[in-house]
Amino acid sequence: MRVPQTPLRALDRAVSLFPGKRAVWCEGRTWTYADFFGRVQQLSRALAALGVGPGDRVAYLSYNCHRLLEGYFAVPQMGAILLPLNIRLLAQDFRVILRHSGARLLFVHPDFLETVEAIRPDLPELEHVLLLEPDPRGRAEGPTYDQLLEAQPRDPYPRPEVDEDDVAELFYTSGTTGQPKGVMLTHRNLYALALQMVGALQFDEPDVHLHSLPMYHANGWGAPQTVTLVGGTHVMLPRFQAAQAVERIEALGVTTAYMVPTMVIELLNLPGLESRDLRSMRRLVVGGAAPSPTMAREVTERLGWPFVAAYGLTESSPVATFAFLRSWQRGEEPEQRYRRMASTGQPMPGVEARVVDLAGRDVPLDGRTPGELLLRGDTVMKGYWNNPEATAEAIRDGWLHTGDVATMDADRFIQIVDRKKDIIISGGENISSIEVEDTLYAHPAVMECAVIAVPDAKWGERPLALVVPKPGAAADRAALAEELRLWCRDRLAHFKAPDRVEIVDSLPKTGTGKIQKNVLREMYREAAPSDRAG
C-alpha cells in the first residue's frame, strides 16, 4: 500500500487521538486539538473564498503565534504553498521575495503594515493583504484574520488530491551572497522530517514545546509538524526574550525547546536563573550556528538540562545531524565529552553524509582532514523556486552540496570547521573561525564573540576577534582585550590567534539570532594590517 507522505497526516492523527488535549497556548489563550483542527478548516475555506487554489503562494509576515501555526496546515491542505517571511528583513527584501515567489495573498501583523503598504504598488500579483490582528491605529480596512475565520464553517475542508512531491512550503534564504533563493520543501520532505525528529528526539504526547525559535526560520526546525504528530502542546513565544522564555518554562511545564547559541547565551546570563524551577525541561536542542563546549557544559551542569547540538540548513528541511553521545563515549573525560556534545554529530536516521575533497573523493576518516559536507535523504529540498541553475549547482550527482567545511572521524562524527566563506586563509594556512571562537568562549568574561578575517598586507588576511563581555566584566576594555589576545595565544597555534581583540557592545544578528559575519566583514574590511602573526 502506498499512502502519500504529507504533514497533513500529523494533524489528522492528533485530532483523532487527542481531540480534547491542549494543542496550543498563545498569549494566555488555549485551544484543544479539536479547536485547532476546526480553525484550520475555517482558514482553508476562507482562503478558497478569496480565490486561493492549488499551487498559489500564501505569505505570512508575523511573529510566532497560533495564527501562523494554523497556516502550516491550512495552506498545504489546499494544495497551496506556505511562505513565511523573515520579519527582520527590509522593505526591499520583501519586495524581491514577494515578486519572485508571485505570492497572491499576504497575512501581516500590524507592526509591519506600513512597510508592506510602501512596496504594495510594486507587487501587482499580490491581490490581498490581510491583517492578522486588529490594527490599533486603524490604518487598514477590511476583515481581520479572525473575522475571516468566523464567517466559515468548521467542517473538514474538501482536500484536493496532494502528491507527496508537491511543494508545501517555500523559505527564502538570507541572500547574503546574492539574491535570496526560495527553498522548495515538499509534503514528503516535511513528513519525513517529522518522523525522523520524533524518533531521534523521542517526542511524545506529554511534551510541551516552546516555540522559542521563529517559525519563519527553516520550517521552524520541523516543530509545527513534529509536535502535532505526537499530540504535544505548542507554546508560543512571539519574540525571544530570555525572561519570557523562563516564565513560560516554569509556568507551563515546558519540556523541549530549540534555540540558537545567542539565545542560550542570553538565557545563561539572565539574573536569578538558578532560583527558577526549570526541572520540567528534558531536552534543549541547539543549532543554527556552532555551539561551544563551554555552552554544553553550562547548560548541563548549571541548569541540569540534557543538551543536544543539531546541524542542518534550510535545504535539508532543515535538521540533518544530532550530536548524541554514544554508549562508548559516555565515560570520556568531561572536556572531551562536552567537546563531542557540541560537535555537529552524526546523521540522523534517513540522512546520509559524506565529506569530500575538491576532486569529490571522500576524505580520510581521521577527524582532521577537511572537505565539503554533502547530504542526501528524504528531507533534502526539491530545489530552488524558479532557479534551475542554482538547483543544479547545489544538488549534483544526487548529493546536496552544503558549502560547509567539515571533518569526519572513524565513528562518522562530523565536525563543521567553518562555512567556506568564513575560513580565514592567512599566509596559506587555513584558520577556523569556530575554533578561535570556542577558545574565546572558554574565558569567563566572554558573553558573545565573532571572529572574522580582515585584510593584512603581509599575510593576506588575519583573524580579528569581536567580543561582547559579560555584564561587569569590562571595566577596562583595553586591558580585557589584551588579556583575551594573550589567552588565545596561550591556547592556539600562534598563527591562529587573533592579532586584535575589540570589545564591543553588541554584534549584528539575523532574525533568528545568528551573528551576521558578512555585516562585520563589511564594517571591518579596511582594518589595519598587523605584523604579529607567526
Side-chain angles (χ1 to χ4, degrees):
M1 180 181 294
R2 184 181 183 275
V3 180
Q5 297 190 54
T6 168
L8 305 178
R9 293 167 63 182
L11 180 60
D12 292 345
R13 181 179 189 271
V15 74
S16 174
L17 300 183
F18 315 108
K21 167 86 185 299
R22 181 168 66 178
V24 185
W25 184 100
C26 184
E27 297 297 324
R29 299 173 63 194
T30 62
W31 292 265
T32 66
Y33 269 106
D35 297 330
F36 181 65
F37 182 85
R39 287 178 62 87
V40 167
Q41 309 318 306
Q42 289 176 303
L43 176 55
S44 294
R45 291 178 179 276
L47 290 171
L50 291 169
V52 174
D56 288 336
R57 278 72 68 203
V58 176
Y60 279 71
L61 186 54
S62 171
Y63 305 110
N64 282 357
C65 72
H66 66 282
R67 299 178 181 91
L68 175 55
L69 182 65
E70 289 157 5
Y72 267 83
F73 296 95
V75 174
Q77 85 167 353
M78 305 175 66
I81 300 171
L82 178 70
L83 170 57
L85 298 170
N86 184 337
I87 64 173
R88 294 287 296 274
L89 296 178
L90 302 176
Q92 57 263 34
D93 301 313
F94 297 134
R95 181 189 293 111
V96 168
I97 292 171
L98 290 169
R99 289 189 68 169
H100 186 264
S101 66
R104 291 188 61 191
L105 186 146
L106 170 65
F107 285 115
V108 60
H109 187 279
D111 285 358
F112 312 108
L113 181 59
E114 187 174 337
T115 299
V116 171
E117 292 297 342
I119 62 173
R120 182 104 188 251
D122 301 326
L123 303 170
E125 293 187 53
L126 186 62
E127 299 173 10
H128 304 282
V129 174
L130 301 170
L131 282 175
L132 286 166
E133 298 178 15
D135 180 15
R137 295 164 58 182
R139 292 168 295 175
E141 298 179 359
T144 63
Y145 179 94
D146 285 326
Q147 289 170 340
L148 285 171
L149 265 60
E150 289 165 3
Q152 300 294 331
R154 296 165 60 93
D155 300 335
Y157 179 79
R159 295 174 183 167
E161 185 173 343
V162 173
D163 188 283
E164 63 183 31
D165 292 322
D166 288 344
V167 179
E169 296 174 358
L170 189 59
F171 291 90
Y172 276 77
T173 59
S174 61
T176 56
T177 57
Q179 290 294 328
K181 299 188 290 288
V183 175
M184 297 186 289
L185 300 183
T186 67
H187 286 257
R188 175 183 171 86
N189 290 153
L190 302 175
Y191 191 61
L193 181 76
L195 292 175
Q196 291 168 9
M197 295 289 275
V198 167
L201 294 175
Q202 299 177 341
F203 272 100
D204 205 351
E205 176 271 329
D207 275 312
V208 179
H209 182 78
L210 179 67
H211 284 270
S212 44
L213 188 81
M215 284 195 293
Y216 59 70
H217 174 61
N219 186 33
W221 292 7
Q225 299 88 7
T226 302
V227 177
T228 302
L229 181 61
V230 299
T233 300
H234 300 266
V235 173
M236 296 298 154
L237 191 64
R239 286 164 288 187
F240 183 81
Q241 295 176 326
Q244 285 191 355
V246 167
E247 289 171 5
R248 301 283 195 277
I249 294 169
E250 193 171 36
L252 299 172
V254 168
T255 61
T256 64
Y258 304 157
M259 296 185 190
V260 297
T262 53
M263 294 176 180
V264 182
I265 290 167
E266 184 181 336
L267 186 76
L268 290 170
N269 285 277
L270 187 69
L273 185 63
E274 277 77 8
S275 67
R276 309 298 290 266
D277 184 359
L278 307 177
R279 291 173 294 177
S280 63
M281 279 287 291
R282 71 171 186 84
R283 182 161 289 154
L284 177 67
V285 180
V286 181
S292 68
T294 300
M295 180 180 293
R297 179 189 290 270
E298 287 204 38
V299 169
T300 302
E301 296 183 358
R302 283 182 57 197
L303 300 181
W305 297 353
F307 178 98
V308 179
Y311 163 82
L313 54 165
T314 309
E315 289 85 343
S316 61
S317 296
V319 184
T321 72
F322 284 118
F324 290 111
L325 287 178
R326 300 307 176 187
S327 57
W328 63 89
Q329 296 160 346
R330 291 174 185 151
E332 293 176 336
E333 291 298 315
E335 182 176 348
Q336 175 61 19
R337 190 167 67 248
Y338 288 122
R339 184 164 296 282
R340 196 179 293 275
M341 287 170 62
S343 72
T344 307
Q346 295 174 310
M348 67 189 295
V351 176
E352 299 173 52
R354 298 169 60 201
V355 178
V356 302
D357 61 19
L358 293 175
R361 298 169 301 209
D362 292 278
V363 302
L365 301 179
D366 56 12
R368 297 188 304 274
T369 306
E372 183 179 11
L373 177 61
L374 311 185
L375 300 172
R376 73 174 178 185
D378 303 295
T379 57
V380 171
M381 67 172 181
K382 186 171 187 175
Y384 295 113
W385 181 263
N386 286 341
N387 198 336
E389 296 83 6
T391 300
E393 175 63 23
I395 302 176
R396 305 195 302 273
D397 300 321
W399 291 85
L400 173 65
H401 290 244
T402 68
D404 285 319
V405 180
T407 63
M408 185 181 285
D409 68 14
D411 292 325
R412 297 194 177 268
F413 262 77
I414 301 162
Q415 178 62 60
I416 296 296
V417 177
D418 233 332
R419 290 289 295 171
K420 279 184 174 179
K421 64 180 180 290
D422 290 339
I423 287 284
I424 302 166
I425 304 176
S426 183
E429 296 284 353
N430 288 353
I431 301 172
S432 164
S433 63
I434 293 175
E435 181 183 6
V436 183
E437 288 162 2
D438 284 351
T439 302
L440 286 164
Y441 274 123
H443 191 284
V446 174
M447 185 166 76
E448 286 186 308
C449 68
V451 174
I452 61 170
V454 294
D456 186 277
K458 181 178 180 181
W459 302 102
E461 55 188 26
R462 292 290 301 141
L464 165 68
L466 303 161
V467 173
V468 179
K470 291 181 179 178
D476 186 333
R477 291 193 167 203
L480 178 58
E482 181 63 10
E483 180 181 337
L484 292 173
R485 188 185 71 80
L486 295 175
W487 171 274
C488 290
R489 267 182 91 79
D490 288 344
R491 290 161 176 79
L492 295 168
H494 285 182
F495 77 89
K496 296 181 180 181
D499 304 323
R500 293 168 50 211
V501 176
E502 290 199 11
I503 307 301
V504 297
D505 294 325
S506 63
L507 295 167
K509 299 184 180 73
T510 66
T512 57
K514 288 185 181 180
I515 295 171
Q516 294 176 300
K517 289 189 176 181
N518 59 311
V519 174
L520 292 172
R521 281 192 289 267
E522 182 64 22
M523 291 169 59
Y524 290 90
R525 62 192 174 96
E526 302 297 337
S530 170
D531 60 1
R532 283 199 184 118

